Amino acid sequence: MKIAAAQLTCTPADVRANVTQAADLAARAREQGAELVVFPELALTGYELDALAAGPGLWTAADDPRLDPLRSAGIATAVNVALPTGGPRPAIATLVHDADGTHVTTYAKQHLYRHEREVFERGEGDGRFELGGIRFCLGICFDNHFPELPGRGAADGCRVHLASSLYGTGDGIHERATVYPGIAREHGLYVVLANHVGPAGRWTGCGRSAVWAPGGALLAEADDRTPAVVTASVVTAAV
């Protein structure tokens, strides 16, 4: 199976504009033979915490009609959103839809980073799904700094770890280049990282969305300045 990691520069607090951009990237990934594409953290709004805290108009559920262009792109998608929780705060969550638009699973971020704790609800459980005979686990940005999360996925038979993240041009450059190949080495997982590129709230995304093989070898990597998709093949059998 081919999997794609997408990176984009979000239009701040504009779900429809970002869905359009994400759908274009999904179509590009499909044309390159990918069956699944992963997007960065809060890809449909940008990392705009003040706007997300101000009200639910930017929050996005799995059945939100604004997602229709992405759900109809003909490829499975893992897109990260501000998800309604039924309470006053949303969760940071990854929505997975199959290529036919069917909702497969939702995973809410468990490890909120600093200022996120004032805006979002923390998730409670791990995220898993299966596609094309391959089992996947999910993590969102700061989640991936806690090795027990992908470790539980590997122990549960997952082969690929999908990470929707935001790493900036400061310390994020080093973190991006160490955390994700480290997961691949420690847990024997393929790791797919989708990162922002360009302005992203209070940061500037450093791009370089990538795929690593079990053991940590880099299979594919985007640049640090261009909205793009990169693809790599994963296999079901252990390496």
Side-chain angles (χ1 to χ4, degrees):
M1 178 189 293
K2 258 189 182 177
I3 300 175
Q7 62 185 37
L8 67 159
T9 304
C10 294
T11 302
D14 190 332
V15 172
R16 293 185 188 279
N18 292 315
V19 166
T20 296
Q21 185 178 182
D24 288 344
L25 290 168
R28 193 185 309 178
R30 187 191 68 233
E31 290 166 1
Q32 294 177 19
E35 296 180 49
L36 168 68
V37 58
V38 186
F39 292 93
E41 185 175 28
L42 295 175
L44 299 190
T45 58
Y47 196 80
E48 304 295 331
L49 301 198
D50 290 343
L52 289 166
L58 297 175
W59 306 355
T60 311
D63 60 353
D64 192 312
R66 291 176 295 185
L67 287 173
D68 286 351
L70 192 55
R71 283 195 294 255
S72 61
I75 181 174
T77 57
V79 62
N80 194 262
V81 304
L83 180 78
T85 61
R89 297 180 178 187
I92 302 175
T94 297
L95 304 174
V96 180
H97 288 87
D98 209 338
D100 64 1
T102 302
H103 177 234
V104 175
T105 195
T106 297
Y107 167 71
K109 188 175 184 178
Q110 298 179 57
H111 302 282
L112 297 176
Y113 183 71
R114 296 183 183 175
H115 44 279
E116 293 174 354
R117 298 166 195 163
E118 302 170 5
V119 179
F120 300 102
E121 290 292 337
R122 183 179 71 85
E124 295 287 337
D126 293 346
R128 306 272 191 277
F129 69 98
E130 189 168 308
L131 179 70
I134 299 176
R135 192 157 169 77
F136 295 82
C137 51
L138 296 160
I140 302 169
C141 204
F142 195 44
D143 275 339
N144 301 294
H145 293 239
F146 296 81
E148 61 270 20
L149 179 69
R152 290 193 298 268
D156 193 32
C158 293
R159 188 76 185 124
V160 185
H161 183 69
L162 306 180
S164 297
S165 299
L166 166 56
Y167 288 90
T169 53
D171 293 341
I173 293 174
H174 175 73
E175 292 175 350
R176 187 215 69 91
T178 55
V179 169
Y180 296 92
I183 292 171
R185 285 193 300 270
E186 182 174 352
H187 302 294
L189 295 166
Y190 287 93
V191 176
V192 184
L193 167 67
N195 191 27
H196 288 257
V197 63
R202 65 183 67 188
W203 287 289
T204 298
C206 68
R208 298 206 179 280
S209 296
V211 184
W212 290 268
L218 182 65
L219 297 178
E221 184 178 53
D223 65 26
D224 61 355
R225 59 195 176 278
T226 310
V229 294
V230 293
T231 63
S233 295
V234 303
V235 296
T236 56
V239 177

